[in-house]
Amino acid sequence: MENNNHKLRRNFYKWHRIIGLIALVPVICWTLSGLSHPFMSNWFRPFIPNETFKPLTQAQMKPVMSLQQVLDQNKVAVIRNFGLVDFKGQTYYQVLQADSSYSYYSANDGKVLPDGDKLYATYLARYLTQDSVSKIKRITLQTKFDAQYQPINHLLPVWKVSFLRPDGMDVYIETGQSRMGTFNNNTRKAMLGLFEQFHTWQFLAAIGGEKLRIGVLIVLVGCMFLSMLSGLIVYGFLWNRFKELSEKRKASGKKDTRFVHRFHRQLGLIMSFLMLTFTFSAAFHLIVKLHNIRPESKPYSQLINRDQLQLSNLQLPVADTLIKKVSVAMFENKVYYQVLKRDKSMAYIDAANGKELPDGDVRYASYLADYYRKTSGSTTNIQPGKTELIKQFNEEYGFINKRLPVEKVSYGSENWYIETATAKLATKVAGLDRAEGFSFIFLHKYFGMSWAGKNIRDIVSMLAALGILVVSLFGFAAFLKNQ
């Protein structure tokens, strides 16, 4: 019996070392890149004077010509949307054409502004950086995410405006909503590249696709968990043996030659709970991500004929001083002027007769949510329940979603967040997504420490990652000493 127990302990010890060696490189990559995250997102985050742009009201922009006059003058028969923008002392109609490109027409004389969208993106980038001196190195329209403009930024397409200055500042601008996607300097770009390759392992997606990347990461996270679990079991099996050897060494006064092994065991025991939280939250995150891989929902789009815009956009039953933005929305077989007011509420004015649609934003959000549910493959016929206007980020709809204000449309346990200003799906949160989100922010990103402030939270998460790294390196050193 004793011989069998001894053999079992040896096998556990053997597999602990094998699995630990497999997990060693991933653990080093994840902990080191994890240590860089607070520097990238907090301490070394580049400064920008303005992170938001505040447009003028329609009363301040004082357009002379109506949209209809501008479209007729330029022989534009079909549009997708429009808006009014003011820059460099001039007011323009920003028209989203049928081919999804933007054209800019003067609101005073109707003349087209060549390269208007590029000029407006440059103007916004200079406003946000408060840099009117540096030359523009390059400006490109970006339609896909990449290492420096990652999916977490959500907004596409954007103009990437690169300044010719020592810090290599890049600013990403979504001109349609006059807002910024993100901004990076040279330091942040380097850290983003490090994090993408060493923490999320995007190089695997480039080799074999997203499913391969997530599958490999799940296996490696599993190895990390099994290494921790087998270490705890070995320590439990051999507790009395380790204690006995330690007492004999102290009694004889011999030098401690197995300090590395002992420290690895003791620190591993202390760090085991933190390793469990990291591995569980990471595995849960990856499994949900794998489960959610499916073709993206086709964005809602609309084509509006000039003849459908019978009411002038300058004769709406809303005071110009209250109007922050006017655009158009087509749903339920009608076209409406969509009026965003200064208090972030929306009014919907029938473009044919000027009547306001009661609960227009709720109805439009429900219409869009139903569209996105159907295009995402949902076959359950559930009527939308409560609809709520979200003006600020919260625990479920966090700042990483970028878009505000949004309407939250609930279908049972599913919440669909719709940005009605762009007809875009901001995000969908279901039961599994909600559980994973809370798991990730509390067990992986330590948001439970937010009460102590962001700096303390980041320091605690860094110490946790550093502790796991030290345990792994001492384990590797112990392995080498045994050879």
Side-chain angles (χ1 to χ4, degrees):
M1 185 69 176
E2 180 65 29
N3 189 48
N4 287 337
N5 287 339
H6 180 68
K7 186 176 180 180
L8 184 62
R9 287 195 295 266
R10 286 187 61 186
N11 285 335
F12 259 110
Y13 201 46
K14 174 185 174 182
W15 280 108
H16 172 66
R17 286 183 294 177
I18 291 173
I19 297 170
L21 286 173
I22 294 172
L24 179 63
V25 172
V27 167
I28 292 173
C29 291
W30 292 333
T31 52
L32 288 178
S33 55
L35 286 168
S36 74
H37 192 270
F39 292 97
M40 177 177 65
S41 62
N42 187 8
W43 298 320
F44 285 0
R45 190 171 187 264
F47 169 76
I48 194 168
N50 298 311
E51 294 199 22
T52 58
F53 175 75
K54 294 183 178 179
L56 302 177
T57 64
Q58 186 163 300
Q60 292 171 314
M61 287 191 275
K62 299 177 181 177
V64 175
M65 298 179 68
S66 68
L67 173 67
Q68 288 83 348
Q69 290 173 314
V70 168
L71 296 180
D72 292 343
Q73 179 178 316
N74 291 275
K75 297 181 173 55
V76 178
V78 180
I79 66 171
R80 291 191 182 275
N81 219 316
F82 86 99
L84 273 171
V85 297
D86 182 278
F87 65 104
K88 294 186 176 180
Q90 296 290 324
T91 299
Y92 298 92
Y93 279 98
Q94 181 193 59
V95 177
L96 183 59
Q97 304 283 11
D99 64 357
S100 296
S101 66
Y102 282 105
S103 297
Y104 289 68
Y105 304 97
S106 171
N108 293 326
D109 57 25
K111 291 182 179 179
V112 66
L113 176 67
D115 289 327
D117 206 36
K118 189 179 290 187
L119 292 172
Y120 187 49
T122 304
Y123 168 79
L124 290 175
R126 289 196 181 279
Y127 171 86
L128 295 168
T129 58
Q130 289 293 287
D131 185 346
S132 59
V133 178
S134 301
K135 292 182 179 180
I136 302 299
K137 179 181 178 182
R138 189 183 304 108
I139 176 168
T140 54
L141 185 64
Q142 185 152 339
T143 58
K144 294 181 180 180
F145 298 110
D146 59 22
Q148 294 177 12
Y149 189 70
Q150 299 182 352
I152 196 173
N153 294 301
H154 291 281
L155 308 179
L156 279 178
V158 290
W159 285 98
K160 179 182 179 181
V161 183
S162 302
F163 287 87
L164 186 61
R165 61 190 216 185
D167 66 354
M169 178 66 77
D170 294 336
V171 184
Y172 296 82
I173 302 293
E174 185 190 41
T175 52
Q177 296 299 311
S178 302
R179 62 187 170 190
M180 179 177 66
T182 192
F183 58 99
N184 300 322
N185 61 6
N186 288 331
T187 303
R188 183 171 166 81
K189 281 183 265 189
M191 288 186 174
L192 282 168
L194 172 73
F195 195 81
E196 183 180 56
Q197 299 307 324
F198 288 89
H199 205 85
T200 62
W201 291 30
Q202 287 299 320
F203 62 88
L204 290 176
I207 294 171
E210 186 68 357
K211 287 186 177 179
L212 172 68
R213 181 185 78 87
I214 295 176
V216 170
L217 290 179
I218 289 174
V219 170
L220 293 175
V221 169
C223 287
M224 184 176 172
F225 171 76
L226 290 175
S227 176
M228 176 206 70
L229 183 62
S230 60
L232 289 176
I233 292 172
V234 167
Y235 202 13
F237 272 158
L238 300 177
W239 173 269
N240 291 331
R241 178 61 176 164
F242 291 143
K243 186 178 180 181
E244 180 184 334
L245 290 173
S246 178
E247 289 174 351
K248 284 183 178 180
R249 177 186 57 79
K250 289 178 180 178
S252 63
K254 289 183 179 179
K255 185 179 178 181
D256 186 3
T257 58
R258 296 182 62 83
F259 166 78
V260 171
H261 300 75
R262 183 163 53 82
F263 192 77
H264 169 66
R265 291 194 302 269
Q266 292 175 347
L267 187 59
L269 186 64
I270 295 170
M271 299 301 300
S272 59
F273 176 73
L274 296 178
M275 291 177 71
L276 176 63
T277 63
F278 275 127
T279 54
F280 173 80
S281 56
F284 194 13
H285 177 73
L286 290 166
I287 291 168
V288 171
K289 205 171 184 66
L290 186 63
H291 175 265
N292 288 337
I293 289 181
R294 56 177 60 91
E296 288 189 16
S297 299
K298 183 180 178 182
Y300 178 78
S301 62
Q302 59 188 20
L303 286 173
I304 298 171
N305 294 320
R306 156 65 181 88
D307 295 340
Q308 293 176 283
L309 301 171
Q310 297 177 29
L311 177 69
S312 169
N313 67 296
L314 301 183
Q315 296 176 348
L316 304 179
V318 180
D320 283 359
T321 54
L322 300 179
I323 296 176
K324 187 176 180 181
K325 183 178 175 64
V326 178
S327 53
V328 282
M330 183 170 69
F331 62 103
E332 298 176 354
N333 299 316
K334 284 192 176 183
V335 176
Y336 299 91
Y337 284 109
Q338 184 188 58
V339 183
L340 175 62
K341 299 180 183 179
R342 292 176 67 181
D343 64 356
K344 296 185 180 181
S345 66
M346 288 279 200
Y348 288 74
I349 312 299
D350 194 315
N353 55 37
K355 293 182 179 179
E356 183 171 350
L357 178 69
D359 296 323
D361 208 42
V362 170
R363 292 175 65 171
Y364 188 37
S366 298
Y367 177 86
L368 291 172
D370 190 55
Y371 167 84
Y372 283 112
R373 285 185 77 246
K374 288 177 179 176
T375 57
S376 68
S378 177
T379 57
T380 54
N381 187 19
I382 305 175
Q383 292 300 312
K386 181 181 177 183
T387 300
E388 178 184 357
L389 178 64
I390 305 297
K391 296 182 181 180
Q392 302 292 335
F393 296 117
N394 54 43
E395 284 188 357
E396 181 172 285
Y397 186 75
F399 68 92
I400 62 169
N401 293 296
K402 292 286 185 181
R403 303 176 187 275
L404 278 179
V406 292
E407 292 277 4
K408 181 175 79 171
V409 184
S410 300
Y411 292 82
S413 63
E414 295 179 357
N415 290 330
W416 295 72
Y417 290 88
I418 306 292
E419 185 180 47
T420 51
T422 59
K424 295 289 181 66
L425 172 64
T427 192
K428 168 208 164 189
V429 179
L432 189 63
D433 304 307
R434 192 176 293 111
E436 184 278 320
F438 282 117
S439 161
F440 198 74
I441 64 172
F442 285 105
L443 300 181
H444 206 87
K445 303 187 75 174
Y446 281 37
F447 270 51
M449 290 293 299
S450 294
W451 59 270
K454 193 170 184 178
N455 289 333
I456 298 299
R457 187 193 77 199
D458 285 344
I459 290 171
V460 170
S461 65
M462 288 178 69
L463 289 174
L466 186 62
I468 293 172
L469 176 61
V470 171
V471 169
S472 301
L473 292 178
F474 267 91
F476 184 58
F479 170 78
L480 294 178
K481 285 179 73 71
N482 286 341
Q483 303 308 303

